[in-house]
Amino acid sequence: MDTQTLVETLKLERLEVNLFRGTTPDEESRQRIYGGQVIAQSLLAAYETVEDRVCHSLHCYFIRPGDPSVPIIFEVDRSRDGGSFTTRRVIAVQHGQQIFNLAASFQTEEQGYEHQADMPDAPDPDAVEDDAEVRKRFAKEYPPEDQDWIDRVQPIEMRTVGGRFDTAAPQPREPRQQVWFRAKDPIGSDPHMHQVILAYASDMSLLGTAIRPHGVSWRTPGFQSASLDHAMWFHRETNFNEWHLYVQESPSASGGRGFNLGYIYRASDGALVASCAQEGLMRMRKPKGKV
């Protein structure tokens, strides 16, 4: 899938005034819908009911695994249209059940006080190996059922500083990482779509930050992980065709859950364009027959 295909895939069909239908790319190896896709499509559905305002925050819950073989129905609740802010709630439904919900707030453009945390030092993206090339180098370590995932074209280019962590036998590392990322192909001139695709990409690699200290990865037999919720704040408009540094940290893991924070900086000027928070499931499955 290239980015132009991603833009087309994320687009929705309007069924009624507040009702939309979305689809998932046809990928045989995918058993459930990638969380960032549902975030992006829900935000697009909300945007279809908002005029002249830009999303500044969203908060969402992953309720059930999505089924990639059937469409998703998005129902928008027009919660409030105020003088400066607009609020929307979006429910994503498959097989008659909620799989996801999102609340988003939109604001009229406004000038005000400004400050931000400085972008931390990081190797130049040209000095960091592309994650896709890393996966290909270690392709022989992956089981046959994962080969399609390794070979498919990724719409988001990612370069993890210090190398990817999803090896068969990872060594414990600190719960922090930096990832360079950007959309591979032109997104277009619509700033809302740049924001939507940034939201799509924000779910990538964030949960893995909490896993790093424990010497496991999604490839570890018996290990189970999944996003439970996701929040995002958009601070500044940006062009996601440019390189951005995704700075991630995990302050805590407990109760079978890992908590993660992410900060997205634009490489060209160091502007902090968005911040994220996410909690995810991370646990070892109990062996069969054990209580």
Short mmCIF file of all heavy atoms in Angstrom, two decimals, residues 158-202:
data_model
loop_
_atom_site.label_atom_id
_atom_site.label_comp_id
_atom_site.label_asym_id
_atom_site.label_seq_id
_atom_site.Cartn_x
_atom_site.Cartn_y
_atom_site.Cartn_z
N MET A 158 9.46 4.56 8.36
CA MET A 158 9.87 4.63 9.77
C MET A 158 11.33 4.23 9.90
O MET A 158 11.78 3.27 9.28
CB MET A 158 8.98 3.72 10.63
CG MET A 158 7.50 4.01 10.51
SD MET A 158 6.48 3.03 11.63
CE MET A 158 6.91 3.75 13.21
N ARG A 159 12.04 4.96 10.74
CA ARG A 159 13.45 4.67 11.00
C ARG A 159 13.68 4.76 12.51
O ARG A 159 13.69 5.85 13.08
CB ARG A 159 14.35 5.64 10.25
CG ARG A 159 14.13 5.59 8.74
CD ARG A 159 15.12 6.42 7.97
NE ARG A 159 14.91 6.29 6.54
CZ ARG A 159 15.77 6.67 5.60
NH1 ARG A 159 16.92 7.22 5.96
NH2 ARG A 159 15.49 6.50 4.32
N THR A 160 13.83 3.62 13.16
CA THR A 160 13.96 3.56 14.61
C THR A 160 15.42 3.76 15.01
O THR A 160 16.30 3.00 14.59
CB THR A 160 13.45 2.22 15.15
OG1 THR A 160 12.09 2.03 14.76
CG2 THR A 160 13.54 2.16 16.66
N VAL A 161 15.68 4.78 15.81
CA VAL A 161 17.03 5.04 16.29
C VAL A 161 17.48 3.89 17.19
O VAL A 161 16.77 3.51 18.13
CB VAL A 161 17.08 6.38 17.07
CG1 VAL A 161 18.48 6.60 17.66
CG2 VAL A 161 16.68 7.54 16.17
N GLY A 162 18.64 3.31 16.88
CA GLY A 162 19.13 2.18 17.66
C GLY A 162 18.61 0.84 17.19
O GLY A 162 18.96 -0.19 17.76
N GLY A 163 17.76 0.83 16.15
CA GLY A 163 17.28 -0.42 15.58
C GLY A 163 15.97 -0.89 16.16
O GLY A 163 15.60 -0.53 17.28
N ARG A 164 15.25 -1.67 15.39
CA ARG A 164 13.97 -2.22 15.84
C ARG A 164 14.18 -3.21 16.97
O ARG A 164 15.23 -3.82 17.11
CB ARG A 164 13.24 -2.90 14.67
CG ARG A 164 12.70 -1.92 13.63
CD ARG A 164 11.97 -2.66 12.53
NE ARG A 164 10.82 -3.41 13.05
CZ ARG A 164 9.61 -2.89 13.20
NH1 ARG A 164 9.37 -1.65 12.87
NH2 ARG A 164 8.62 -3.63 13.67
N PHE A 165 13.10 -3.38 17.74
CA PHE A 165 13.18 -4.18 18.96
C PHE A 165 12.50 -5.54 18.81
O PHE A 165 12.59 -6.38 19.69
CB PHE A 165 12.51 -3.39 20.10
CG PHE A 165 12.70 -3.99 21.47
CD1 PHE A 165 13.96 -4.07 22.03
CD2 PHE A 165 11.62 -4.45 22.20
CE1 PHE A 165 14.14 -4.59 23.30
CE2 PHE A 165 11.79 -4.98 23.46
CZ PHE A 165 13.06 -5.05 24.02
N ASP A 166 11.78 -5.76 17.69
CA ASP A 166 10.95 -6.96 17.58
C ASP A 166 11.73 -8.16 17.05
O ASP A 166 11.35 -8.80 16.08
CB ASP A 166 9.72 -6.69 16.71
CG ASP A 166 10.07 -6.10 15.35
OD1 ASP A 166 11.26 -5.83 15.10
OD2 ASP A 166 9.15 -5.91 14.55
N THR A 167 12.85 -8.49 17.68
CA THR A 167 13.60 -9.69 17.34
C THR A 167 13.01 -10.88 18.09
O THR A 167 12.19 -10.72 18.99
CB THR A 167 15.09 -9.52 17.70
OG1 THR A 167 15.18 -9.29 19.10
CG2 THR A 167 15.70 -8.36 16.95
N ALA A 168 13.46 -12.06 17.73
CA ALA A 168 12.93 -13.26 18.38
C ALA A 168 13.33 -13.33 19.85
O ALA A 168 12.59 -13.84 20.68
CB ALA A 168 13.43 -14.50 17.63
N ALA A 169 14.53 -12.81 20.18
CA ALA A 169 15.01 -12.85 21.57
C ALA A 169 15.57 -11.47 21.94
O ALA A 169 16.79 -11.29 22.05
CB ALA A 169 16.07 -13.93 21.73
N PRO A 170 14.71 -10.48 22.16
CA PRO A 170 15.20 -9.13 22.45
C PRO A 170 15.84 -9.02 23.83
O PRO A 170 15.45 -9.73 24.76
CB PRO A 170 13.92 -8.28 22.38
CG PRO A 170 12.82 -9.23 22.73
CD PRO A 170 13.24 -10.56 22.16
N GLN A 171 16.81 -8.14 23.95
CA GLN A 171 17.43 -7.86 25.23
C GLN A 171 16.74 -6.66 25.88
O GLN A 171 16.32 -5.73 25.20
CB GLN A 171 18.92 -7.55 25.04
CG GLN A 171 19.73 -8.72 24.49
CD GLN A 171 19.67 -9.93 25.39
OE1 GLN A 171 19.94 -9.84 26.60
NE2 GLN A 171 19.31 -11.08 24.83
N PRO A 172 16.58 -6.68 27.21
CA PRO A 172 15.92 -5.54 27.88
C PRO A 172 16.62 -4.22 27.58
O PRO A 172 17.85 -4.15 27.54
CB PRO A 172 16.03 -5.90 29.36
CG PRO A 172 16.14 -7.40 29.38
CD PRO A 172 16.93 -7.76 28.16
N ARG A 173 15.82 -3.20 27.33
CA ARG A 173 16.34 -1.86 27.08
C ARG A 173 15.52 -0.86 27.90
O ARG A 173 14.48 -1.20 28.46
CB ARG A 173 16.24 -1.49 25.60
CG ARG A 173 16.94 -2.44 24.64
CD ARG A 173 16.89 -1.89 23.23
NE ARG A 173 17.27 -2.88 22.23
CZ ARG A 173 17.31 -2.63 20.92
NH1 ARG A 173 16.98 -1.43 20.46
NH2 ARG A 173 17.65 -3.58 20.06
N GLU A 174 15.99 0.37 27.96
CA GLU A 174 15.26 1.38 28.72
C GLU A 174 13.92 1.66 28.03
O GLU A 174 13.78 1.49 26.81
CB GLU A 174 16.08 2.66 28.83
CG GLU A 174 16.36 3.35 27.51
CD GLU A 174 17.10 4.66 27.70
OE1 GLU A 174 17.31 5.05 28.86
OE2 GLU A 174 17.46 5.28 26.69
N PRO A 175 12.90 2.09 28.79
CA PRO A 175 11.57 2.32 28.21
C PRO A 175 11.46 3.67 27.49
O PRO A 175 10.60 4.48 27.78
CB PRO A 175 10.65 2.26 29.44
CG PRO A 175 11.50 2.78 30.55
CD PRO A 175 12.90 2.29 30.26
N ARG A 176 12.38 3.87 26.56
CA ARG A 176 12.40 5.09 25.75
C ARG A 176 12.88 4.74 24.36
O ARG A 176 13.72 3.84 24.19
CB ARG A 176 13.34 6.14 26.35
CG ARG A 176 12.93 6.65 27.71
CD ARG A 176 13.96 7.64 28.26
NE ARG A 176 13.57 8.11 29.58
CZ ARG A 176 13.83 7.47 30.70
NH1 ARG A 176 14.49 6.31 30.66
NH2 ARG A 176 13.43 7.96 31.86
N GLN A 177 12.35 5.43 23.36
CA GLN A 177 12.85 5.25 22.01
C GLN A 177 12.53 6.48 21.17
O GLN A 177 11.65 7.28 21.51
CB GLN A 177 12.30 3.98 21.37
CG GLN A 177 10.81 3.92 21.19
CD GLN A 177 10.39 2.62 20.49
OE1 GLN A 177 11.19 1.94 19.85
NE2 GLN A 177 9.13 2.27 20.62
N GLN A 178 13.27 6.62 20.07
CA GLN A 178 13.04 7.69 19.11
C GLN A 178 12.84 7.06 17.74
O GLN A 178 13.59 6.16 17.35
CB GLN A 178 14.23 8.65 19.07
CG GLN A 178 14.48 9.39 20.36
CD GLN A 178 15.70 10.30 20.27
OE1 GLN A 178 16.65 10.01 19.53
NE2 GLN A 178 15.69 11.40 21.00
N VAL A 179 11.83 7.53 17.02
CA VAL A 179 11.53 7.00 15.70
C VAL A 179 11.32 8.17 14.74
O VAL A 179 10.49 9.05 15.00
CB VAL A 179 10.26 6.11 15.71
CG1 VAL A 179 9.97 5.56 14.32
CG2 VAL A 179 10.40 4.97 16.71
N TRP A 180 12.08 8.18 13.65
CA TRP A 180 11.80 9.12 12.56
C TRP A 180 10.68 8.55 11.71
O TRP A 180 10.71 7.36 11.38
CB TRP A 180 13.04 9.33 11.69
CG TRP A 180 14.14 10.13 12.34
CD1 TRP A 180 15.33 9.66 12.82
CD2 TRP A 180 14.15 11.54 12.56
NE1 TRP A 180 16.08 10.69 13.33
CE2 TRP A 180 15.38 11.86 13.18
CE3 TRP A 180 13.25 12.57 12.29
CZ2 TRP A 180 15.73 13.16 13.54
CZ3 TRP A 180 13.59 13.87 12.64
CH2 TRP A 180 14.82 14.15 13.25
N PHE A 181 9.69 9.35 11.33
CA PHE A 181 8.66 8.84 10.44
C PHE A 181 8.06 9.96 9.59
O PHE A 181 8.16 11.13 9.93
CB PHE A 181 7.59 8.04 11.18
CG PHE A 181 6.69 8.81 12.13
CD1 PHE A 181 5.49 8.24 12.55
CD2 PHE A 181 7.01 10.05 12.65
CE1 PHE A 181 4.64 8.92 13.44
CE2 PHE A 181 6.18 10.73 13.53
CZ PHE A 181 5.00 10.16 13.92
N ARG A 182 7.47 9.54 8.46
CA ARG A 182 6.81 10.45 7.53
C ARG A 182 5.99 9.63 6.55
O ARG A 182 6.22 8.42 6.39
CB ARG A 182 7.83 11.30 6.77
CG ARG A 182 8.75 10.49 5.83
CD ARG A 182 9.72 11.37 5.08
NE ARG A 182 10.63 10.57 4.25
CZ ARG A 182 11.60 11.10 3.51
NH1 ARG A 182 11.80 12.41 3.49
NH2 ARG A 182 12.38 10.31 2.77
N ALA A 183 5.04 10.28 5.88
CA ALA A 183 4.29 9.61 4.82
C ALA A 183 5.18 9.48 3.58
O ALA A 183 5.89 10.42 3.23
CB ALA A 183 3.04 10.41 4.47
N LYS A 184 5.17 8.32 2.95
CA LYS A 184 6.10 8.06 1.84
C LYS A 184 5.77 8.86 0.58
O LYS A 184 6.65 9.38 -0.08
CB LYS A 184 6.10 6.56 1.50
CG LYS A 184 6.93 5.73 2.44
CD LYS A 184 7.04 4.31 1.91
CE LYS A 184 7.99 3.49 2.76
NZ LYS A 184 8.11 2.10 2.28
N ASP A 185 4.49 8.94 0.23
CA ASP A 185 4.09 9.57 -1.02
C ASP A 185 3.25 10.81 -0.74
O ASP A 185 2.69 10.96 0.35
CB ASP A 185 3.31 8.58 -1.89
CG ASP A 185 4.19 7.40 -2.31
OD1 ASP A 185 5.23 7.65 -2.94
OD2 ASP A 185 3.84 6.26 -1.98
N PRO A 186 3.13 11.71 -1.70
CA PRO A 186 2.42 12.98 -1.46
C PRO A 186 1.00 12.76 -0.95
O PRO A 186 0.24 11.97 -1.49
CB PRO A 186 2.43 13.65 -2.84
CG PRO A 186 3.63 13.07 -3.53
CD PRO A 186 3.72 11.66 -3.06
N ILE A 187 0.66 13.49 0.10
CA ILE A 187 -0.67 13.41 0.70
C ILE A 187 -1.63 14.37 0.01
O ILE A 187 -2.82 14.10 -0.12
CB ILE A 187 -0.60 13.71 2.21
CG1 ILE A 187 0.23 12.64 2.93
CG2 ILE A 187 -2.00 13.79 2.82
CD1 ILE A 187 0.53 12.96 4.38
N GLY A 188 -1.11 15.51 -0.42
CA GLY A 188 -1.97 16.53 -1.03
C GLY A 188 -1.93 17.81 -0.22
O GLY A 188 -1.15 17.95 0.73
N SER A 189 -2.77 18.76 -0.57
CA SER A 189 -2.72 20.09 0.04
C SER A 189 -3.70 20.27 1.20
O SER A 189 -3.66 21.30 1.87
CB SER A 189 -3.01 21.16 -1.03
OG SER A 189 -4.30 20.93 -1.61
N ASP A 190 -4.58 19.30 1.44
CA ASP A 190 -5.57 19.43 2.51
C ASP A 190 -4.89 19.23 3.87
O ASP A 190 -4.45 18.12 4.19
CB ASP A 190 -6.68 18.39 2.30
CG ASP A 190 -7.78 18.49 3.35
OD1 ASP A 190 -7.68 19.36 4.25
OD2 ASP A 190 -8.73 17.70 3.29
N PRO A 191 -4.80 20.28 4.72
CA PRO A 191 -4.13 20.12 6.02
C PRO A 191 -4.84 19.13 6.93
O PRO A 191 -4.21 18.50 7.78
CB PRO A 191 -4.15 21.54 6.60
CG PRO A 191 -5.24 22.25 5.88
CD PRO A 191 -5.30 21.65 4.51
N HIS A 192 -6.16 18.96 6.76
CA HIS A 192 -6.88 17.99 7.57
C HIS A 192 -6.39 16.57 7.29
O HIS A 192 -6.26 15.76 8.21
CB HIS A 192 -8.38 18.08 7.30
CG HIS A 192 -9.00 19.38 7.74
ND1 HIS A 192 -10.30 19.71 7.44
CD2 HIS A 192 -8.49 20.42 8.43
CE1 HIS A 192 -10.57 20.91 7.94
NE2 HIS A 192 -9.48 21.36 8.54
N MET A 193 -6.09 16.27 6.01
CA MET A 193 -5.63 14.93 5.67
C MET A 193 -4.24 14.67 6.23
O MET A 193 -3.93 13.54 6.65
CB MET A 193 -5.65 14.72 4.16
CG MET A 193 -5.34 13.30 3.74
SD MET A 193 -6.45 12.05 4.48
CE MET A 193 -7.97 12.37 3.56
N HIS A 194 -3.39 15.69 6.28
CA HIS A 194 -2.08 15.52 6.92
C HIS A 194 -2.26 15.18 8.40
O HIS A 194 -1.56 14.33 8.94
CB HIS A 194 -1.25 16.80 6.76
CG HIS A 194 -0.67 16.97 5.39
ND1 HIS A 194 0.60 16.56 5.06
CD2 HIS A 194 -1.21 17.48 4.25
CE1 HIS A 194 0.84 16.82 3.78
NE2 HIS A 194 -0.25 17.38 3.27
N GLN A 195 -3.21 15.84 9.04
CA GLN A 195 -3.50 15.57 10.45
C GLN A 195 -4.05 14.16 10.63
O GLN A 195 -3.66 13.43 11.55
CB GLN A 195 -4.50 16.61 10.97
CG GLN A 195 -4.71 16.57 12.46
CD GLN A 195 -5.77 17.58 12.90
OE1 GLN A 195 -6.94 17.42 12.60
NE2 GLN A 195 -5.33 18.61 13.60
N VAL A 196 -4.94 13.75 9.74
CA VAL A 196 -5.55 12.43 9.81
C VAL A 196 -4.49 11.33 9.65
O VAL A 196 -4.48 10.33 10.38
CB VAL A 196 -6.65 12.29 8.73
CG1 VAL A 196 -7.04 10.83 8.52
CG2 VAL A 196 -7.88 13.11 9.12
N ILE A 197 -3.57 11.51 8.70
CA ILE A 197 -2.55 10.48 8.47
C ILE A 197 -1.50 10.51 9.59
O ILE A 197 -0.94 9.46 9.95
CB ILE A 197 -1.93 10.63 7.07
CG1 ILE A 197 -3.01 10.31 6.03
CG2 ILE A 197 -0.74 9.71 6.89
CD1 ILE A 197 -2.56 10.36 4.60
N LEU A 198 -1.26 11.66 10.18
CA LEU A 198 -0.41 11.70 11.37
C LEU A 198 -1.06 10.90 12.50
O LEU A 198 -0.39 10.16 13.21
CB LEU A 198 -0.18 13.15 11.81
CG LEU A 198 0.70 13.36 13.04
CD1 LEU A 198 2.12 12.84 12.79
CD2 LEU A 198 0.74 14.83 13.43
N ALA A 199 -2.38 11.05 12.66
CA ALA A 199 -3.09 10.26 13.67
C ALA A 199 -2.99 8.77 13.34
O ALA A 199 -2.82 7.93 14.25
CB ALA A 199 -4.55 10.70 13.74
N TYR A 200 -3.12 8.42 12.07
CA TYR A 200 -2.97 7.02 11.62
C TYR A 200 -1.61 6.46 12.07
O TYR A 200 -1.50 5.36 12.62
CB TYR A 200 -3.10 6.98 10.10
CG TYR A 200 -2.79 5.65 9.45
CD1 TYR A 200 -3.81 4.75 9.16
CD2 TYR A 200 -1.49 5.30 9.09
CE1 TYR A 200 -3.54 3.53 8.55
CE2 TYR A 200 -1.21 4.09 8.48
CZ TYR A 200 -2.24 3.21 8.21
OH TYR A 200 -1.96 2.00 7.60
N ALA A 201 -0.55 7.25 11.85
CA ALA A 201 0.81 6.78 12.14
C ALA A 201 1.14 6.80 13.62
O ALA A 201 2.05 6.10 14.07
CB ALA A 201 1.82 7.63 11.37
N SER A 202 0.40 7.59 14.41
CA SER A 202 0.74 7.76 15.83
C SER A 202 0.59 6.49 16.63
O SER A 202 1.16 6.36 17.72
CB SER A 202 -0.11 8.87 16.44
OG SER A 202 -1.48 8.47 16.55
#
